[in-house]
Amino acid sequence: MIQKGEVVAFPTETVYGLGADALNPLAVKKVFEAKGRPADNPLIIHIHDKKDLKRLAKDIPEITEKIIEKFWPGPLTIVLKKSKIVPKITTGGLDTVAIRMPKNKIASLLIKESGVPLAAPSANFFGRPSPTLAKHVSEDLSGRISMILDGGKTRIGIESTVIDLTSKTPMLLRPGGITLEQIEEIIGTIKIHPVIKGRKSKIMHRSPGMKYKHYSPNAKIILIEGTGRNVDKKILQLISKFKKQKKRVGIMVMQRDHTYKADMVRFAGDSPDKIAANLFKVFREFDEGKIDIILAHGISGEGLGLGVMNRLGKAAHMKIKV
């Protein structure tokens, strides 16, 4: 199907991807159409072999070898100057290309057997929570794509980390499955794109997940950050407020011993890696429960927590600091 220019959803270690031949503009166009994705939002190209990097990118800095030696295959995407063979539609019109080598047997074999690199954003309808199960793909894209390969639950649960290597100092564009601290251990200090810190910026958006609202359930998410007692107090106030407005309230908690009473309470996990693995699944469960408002605890932005907070922040309708 991929060789014929069709679109196939497949599992990776992060989330499910929506794959098509990255070098076939007509196939890539189908990915954008199936997702309802804006054309200026670049896609990540997934490869099976490190050698493919030299075909897809040019002006590759020396530091690249160090990074891919440590983190590939794995949940790290690198942004480099694109080679001539990569169509502009795949890169969202940019002169750079985002590339990663997934650490998932099904993904790896699919790319190998297809004989082409796969352009693959997350396999959800644009703006929705990314899919961590095949049924999530089906909920969003049934009838819009040719096939779904079911590989069970994805392991990491949030998308890959994206790092830009096109300037002298590497820059983090999107936090994800590989932490900022892990990368800095290998290559030293790297810049963090202002968008990750919640600031507007004119610096080029060379990665998916930067420009638009993303990862959102139908319910409105209110993200509450602060110390435990203050957060608890604020959540209780908000439950009371929204109940009076006849809203169905869901709470996403990060500790088992909570005492909240709401229409739906879901435990996402008690560590950043568990929360990351469950985050999008929990969002979709709230949608199934017809929840209007989700109240979510913030967590520390260290390690994988930076990626979790990035996704919560991108999905949030409102942020409250207490």
Side-chain angles (χ1 to χ4, degrees):
M1 282 181 168
I2 283 166
Q3 286 168 354
K4 286 178 183 171
E6 295 299 318
V7 178
V8 173
F10 64 97
T12 77
E13 73 277 30
T14 57
V15 298
Y16 274 77
L18 194 59
D21 179 352
L23 306 180
N24 177 344
L26 293 176
V28 174
K29 187 167 182 259
K30 289 181 187 175
V31 172
F32 281 96
E33 286 168 352
K35 271 184 70 81
R37 183 184 179 98
D40 64 348
N41 205 357
L43 304 180
I44 292 171
I45 298 183
H46 293 62
I47 60 174
H48 158 72
D49 194 306
K50 290 176 188 174
K51 290 179 200 148
D52 291 334
L53 187 65
K54 291 196 171 100
R55 287 179 59 224
L56 302 169
K58 64 178 185 179
D59 305 334
I60 302 169
E62 277 179 38
I63 202 170
T64 310
E65 189 53 45
K66 219 176 187 181
I67 291 169
I68 65 176
E69 189 60 40
K70 175 70 177 173
F71 298 114
W72 277 11
L76 181 73
T77 296
I78 58 175
V79 173
L80 297 161
K81 291 288 180 187
K82 81 173 195 73
S83 71
K84 282 181 182 169
I85 67 165
V86 182
K88 277 279 180 93
I89 188 172
T90 304
T91 64
L94 301 172
D95 64 353
T96 52
V97 61
I99 304 168
R100 96 173 180 98
M101 188 174 167
K103 191 177 185 177
N104 173 288
K105 282 182 182 175
I106 297 173
S108 186
L109 282 169
L110 177 65
I111 301 163
K112 185 183 178 186
E113 295 299 326
S114 302
V116 291
L118 296 187
S122 53
N124 53 300
F125 199 75
F126 181 72
R128 294 273 298 140
S130 298
T132 54
L133 291 165
K135 75 166 194 163
H136 298 161
V137 183
S138 183
E139 283 163 10
D140 280 13
L141 300 177
S142 183
R144 300 178 73 88
I145 60 175
S146 300
M147 187 182 211
I148 301 169
L149 284 174
D150 188 347
K153 188 174 186 283
T154 63
R155 183 172 57 82
I156 294 170
I158 60 171
E159 299 81 356
S160 64
T161 301
V162 182
I163 183 169
D164 185 350
L165 300 181
T166 60
S167 51
K168 197 175 177 185
T169 306
M171 180 181 278
L172 182 71
L173 303 184
R174 180 178 76 182
I178 298 290
T179 69
L180 175 65
E181 293 86 346
Q182 285 174 307
I183 300 168
E184 287 190 328
E185 211 171 281
I186 301 299
I187 61 168
T189 305
I190 63 176
K191 289 182 188 169
I192 298 176
H193 196 286
V195 165
I196 295 171
K197 296 175 180 176
R199 298 203 295 267
K200 287 187 175 162
S201 169
K202 289 181 180 173
I203 300 172
M204 193 76 75
H205 292 174
R206 288 179 164 147
S207 164
M210 293 181 78
K211 208 170 186 178
Y212 299 94
K213 190 173 175 178
H214 279 277
Y215 322 116
S216 301
N218 297 326
K220 286 180 175 171
I221 296 175
I222 298 177
L223 175 59
I224 303 131
E225 297 177 72
T227 57
R229 191 174 291 175
N230 289 346
V231 170
D232 287 345
K233 194 175 167 187
K234 190 67 189 174
I235 285 176
L236 292 171
Q237 283 173 1
L238 291 170
I239 292 169
S240 174
K241 174 187 167 181
F242 292 122
K243 279 287 171 200
K244 283 174 188 162
Q245 294 175 12
K246 302 282 191 283
K247 301 282 188 193
R248 282 180 59 76
V249 179
I251 304 173
M252 189 169 79
V253 297
M254 281 56 164
Q255 72 278 355
R256 289 188 187 277
D257 58 343
H258 64 84
T259 54
Y260 300 126
K261 300 260 189 305
D263 295 288
M264 207 168 160
V265 181
R266 283 289 176 274
F267 174 63
D270 53 11
S271 64
D273 58 329
K274 287 176 187 167
I275 296 164
N278 293 319
L279 185 68
F280 295 136
K281 181 170 79 73
V282 168
F283 281 178
R284 287 177 180 265
E285 285 171 5
F286 282 129
D287 278 351
E288 284 168 22
K290 302 283 191 286
I291 292 299
D292 300 307
I293 306 281
I294 299 168
L295 305 177
H297 280 229
I299 64 169
S300 163
E302 290 176 10
L304 202 55
L306 184 64
V308 170
M309 287 302 290
N310 172 261
R311 303 314 188 272
L312 278 168
K314 280 279 183 184
H317 173 70
M318 184 193 295
K319 297 175 195 173
I320 299 173
K321 290 200 165 144
V322 292

